[in-house]
Amino acid sequence: MAENITYIVGNKLYVNLTNKCPCNCTFCIRNNGDGVYGSDSLWLDHDPDSIEAIEDLKKRDLTSFEEVIFCGYGEPTEALDVMLECCRYIKSVGNIPTRLNTNGLSDLINKKETAPLLKGLVDTVSISLNAPTEAEYNAVTRPSFEGAFDAMQKFAVSCLEHVPNVMMTVVDVIGEEQVERAKALCEKLGVKLRVRPYEG
């Protein structure tokens, strides 16, 4: 059994489906420890299948949480099919808001357009922009894919057609000038920008 598929932060439930990620971000929280916000270790002994993940969700009173967020020690869209099955289960329980925290590289990971698959299942998509230009993005995010910066933007725009709330995020440590340029890029794409504090 995979351990720590779900963990609680405040009044939100987080779902940790995989440790796989095509990026190696310089500021990744995985470099700082085994868990976040006092959670147990988020390193999985294996990626859970949909049956395991849903069994774990069934242990929680989902209606008591403000939001269920797919975010752990890996990129959730590396386990896209399992994530979608979990969303179907969550929505069968009640009108519980769901959010995907992602690097935005799902289309490259899954080799197809994936935003349409989120329709009716994911209420918010939060994409890690990290930096406002391709060179800066590659330096910070260190993706394994060529063309990741463009693919991430394309995914964001595609999500606008299928998901009610779409945002991009940067961490505040990148500096005010880069934050301003990130805002300009998001305005061009038509998505909101959230500047979040660095969780070191």
Side-chain angles (χ1 to χ4, degrees), residues 14-199:
Y14 285 72
V15 187
N16 178 42
L17 294 178
T18 182
N19 293 150
K20 297 174 186 170
C21 185
C23 300
N24 182 23
C25 296
T26 57
F27 54 81
C28 183
I29 57 172
R30 304 198 309 184
N31 299 328
N32 300 328
D34 292 338
V36 293
Y37 304 112
S39 74
D40 292 330
S41 174
L42 295 178
W43 294 111
L44 298 163
D45 57 30
H46 68 277
D47 285 3
D49 60 22
S50 58
I51 294 171
E52 285 179 280
I54 290 170
E55 282 302 310
D56 200 272
L57 287 168
K58 285 180 178 178
K59 297 174 185 176
R60 309 287 191 177
D61 177 8
L62 296 180
T63 60
S64 70
F65 294 103
E66 179 184 328
E67 192 175 27
V68 178
I69 302 167
F70 291 87
C71 175
Y73 260 21
E75 165 52 41
T77 61
E78 287 274 7
L80 180 64
D81 291 341
V82 175
M83 187 193 82
L84 295 175
E85 284 299 316
C86 288
C87 287
R88 290 186 185 97
Y89 170 71
I90 293 163
K91 293 301 185 184
S92 76
V93 172
N95 188 27
I96 302 157
T98 54
R99 182 190 349 151
L100 166 62
N101 286 359
T102 177
N103 57 30
L105 302 183
S106 180
D107 293 357
L108 295 179
I109 293 166
N110 294 286
K111 299 180 174 60
K112 62 184 179 182
E113 186 181 4
T114 54
L117 302 175
L118 308 179
K119 187 169 186 174
L121 298 176
V122 175
D123 299 297
T124 300
V125 172
S126 177
I127 301 166
S128 297
L129 172 59
N130 294 334
T133 68
E134 184 170 22
E136 291 165 316
Y137 171 88
N138 286 337
V140 170
T141 306
R142 300 184 294 194
S144 59
F145 292 112
E146 292 287 331
F149 187 66
D150 289 339
M152 176 259 299
Q153 294 177 74
K154 182 180 177 184
F155 177 75
V157 172
S158 182
C159 282
L160 289 170
E161 300 178 36
H162 305 287
V163 178
N165 304 301
V166 182
M167 71 181 83
M168 288 179 143
T169 66
V170 294
V171 289
D172 54 11
V173 293
I174 66 173
E176 192 173 320
E177 189 264 338
Q178 278 202 43
V179 168
E180 287 304 312
R181 287 191 285 120
K183 285 180 182 176
L185 175 61
C186 287
E187 287 175 5
K188 178 184 171 186
L189 297 174
V191 302
K192 294 172 282 190
L193 177 71
R194 183 169 79 90
V195 181
R196 56 190 178 86
Y198 173 62
E199 305 290 351

